[in-house]
Amino acid sequence: MGPPGAGKGTQGDRLAERCRIPKYATGDLLRDAVRLDSPLGREARRYMDSGELVPDDVVLGLVCEALESPVARKGFILDGFPRTQVQAVGLQALLEEKGLELDAVVFFDVPEEESVRRLTGRRVCPGCGAVYRVQTNAPAAADTCDKCGGRPEMREDDREEIVSSRLRVYRESTQPLVEWYGRSSTSLLELAAVGSVDEVYDKLLSAVGCS
Ligand code: ADP
Ligand code: AMP
C-alpha cells in the first residue's frame, strides 16, 4: 500500500520475480480490461480517467478471479489493493474462504511532491510496456523506445491535475486503511520509500525478512 507513485509496482515486480510468485496489481488488471474494451473496462475507464476509485465490487471481482489461478497457490503479492475499507473486508472474507492469511502489509511512505514528480515524469511505451523516467532514465533517442522503437507516452492519469485527484482520493479513502491495518493483527511494515529504486528494494527485502 502507499500513495500513487510510491513505487509499489516497481518494487512489487522485483519481489515477485525474486520469490517466484505472481503479483496482481488491480491497476494493471483494470488497464487490461480497458485495452480489451470489455464492458467492465468501459465502466472502469470512466473512473480511472478522472483519478477516482473504480467501484469496490468490480475490483473485488477481479481479485477474486486472480486468486483462483493455480499459480497463486504458492503465494502472491497484491499491489494497489485494497484501497478502501470495503475492499479490505472483502479481501479478508476471500482469504478466510481459502484458509489463507496475509503475511504482511507493506506501506510505502513518500512525500506527495515526490509522488507528483515521479508520476508526471513517467513515460510508458504502448508497444512493449517499457517504463521510462524523464528525470533519470529517458530513452537513448528522444521519444523512441530503446526496446521496440515505439513512442513512449504519458499515462492519461499521470497528468498533474489527475495526479492531484489521485492523491486526494488516496488521502480520503486509503490512508485510513493503513492506520486500520496498523491496529489489526496483520503485520504492518512501514518503508521510507525514498532514495533510488535499488535502495528502496534493499529496504523492502530487509523489511520482509529476505536476506
Ligand atoms: P506505484 O505503483 O506506487 O503507483 P510505480 O512503481 O508505478 O508506483 O512508480 C511510479 C513511477 O515512479 C515510475 O515511473 C517508476 O519508474 C518511478 N519510481 C519508482 N520508484 C522510484 C524511486 N525509488 N525513485 C525514482 N523513481 C521511482
Ligand atoms: P494504479 O495503477 O494503482 O495507479 O491505479 C490506476 C487507477 O486504477 C486508479 O486511479 C483507480 O482509478 C483504479 N484502481 C486501481 N486499483 C484500484 C482499487 N483497488 N480500487 C479502486 N480503483 C482502483
Side-chain angles (χ1 to χ4, degrees):
M1 301 182 75
K8 305 179 294 292
T10 306
Q11 302 295 340
D13 283 341
R14 282 195 172 194
L15 189 63
E17 196 175 324
R18 181 187 165 111
C19 300
R20 297 173 199 268
I21 55 173
K23 187 202 81 171
Y24 300 114
T26 43
D28 289 344
L29 297 173
L30 289 164
R31 276 184 292 279
D32 286 345
V34 169
R35 227 170 282 123
L36 289 172
D37 201 28
S38 65
L40 187 152
R42 283 196 289 276
E43 190 199 348
R45 183 170 192 165
R46 303 206 320 261
Y47 300 93
M48 295 169 82
D49 280 352
S50 56
E52 298 297 322
L53 292 182
V54 172
D56 291 325
D57 56 334
V58 173
V59 178
L60 273 164
L62 285 173
V63 172
C64 182
E65 201 179 310
L67 297 188
E68 287 297 313
S69 165
V71 294
R73 279 196 201 132
K74 282 203 308 190
F76 50 83
I77 294 173
L78 297 170
D79 164 13
F81 174 91
R83 260 165 148 110
T84 65
Q85 180 95 29
V86 171
Q87 291 179 17
V89 171
L91 173 63
Q92 221 163 13
L94 212 69
L95 294 176
E96 264 165 36
E97 223 176 85
K98 294 177 182 296
L100 298 173
E101 271 180 46
L102 290 179
D103 291 315
V105 170
V106 184
F107 169 50
F108 285 67
D109 194 13
V110 291
E112 289 205 351
E113 55 277 17
E114 177 66 6
S115 283
V116 174
R117 201 179 65 86
R118 290 181 186 178
L119 294 177
T120 55
R122 169 162 60 185
R123 299 293 179 272
V124 184
C125 175
C128 68
V131 177
Y132 296 94
R133 278 171 273 146
V134 291
Q135 295 94 347
T136 53
N137 173 34
D143 293 340
T144 305
C145 176
D146 295 338
K147 295 185 178 138
C148 76
R151 205 180 166 81
E153 49 192 40
M154 200 170 190
R155 236 170 74 175
E156 191 60 26
D157 62 348
D158 281 346
R159 286 184 293 122
E160 195 157 354
E161 62 276 23
I162 309 292
V163 169
S164 300
S165 302
R166 290 164 68 195
L167 285 167
R168 173 186 49 74
V169 167
Y170 171 77
R171 277 194 302 271
E172 290 172 4
S173 303
T174 311
Q175 180 87 50
L177 197 56
V178 178
E179 287 146 23
W180 182 77
Y181 273 119
R183 293 191 299 271
S184 78
S185 57
T186 308
S187 157
L188 176 68
L189 310 172
E190 304 203 30
L191 217 69
V194 287
S196 70
V197 170
D198 285 344
E199 283 164 355
V200 177
Y201 187 53
D202 286 343
K203 292 185 208 178
L204 174 62
L205 290 184
S206 65
V208 299
C210 281
S211 46

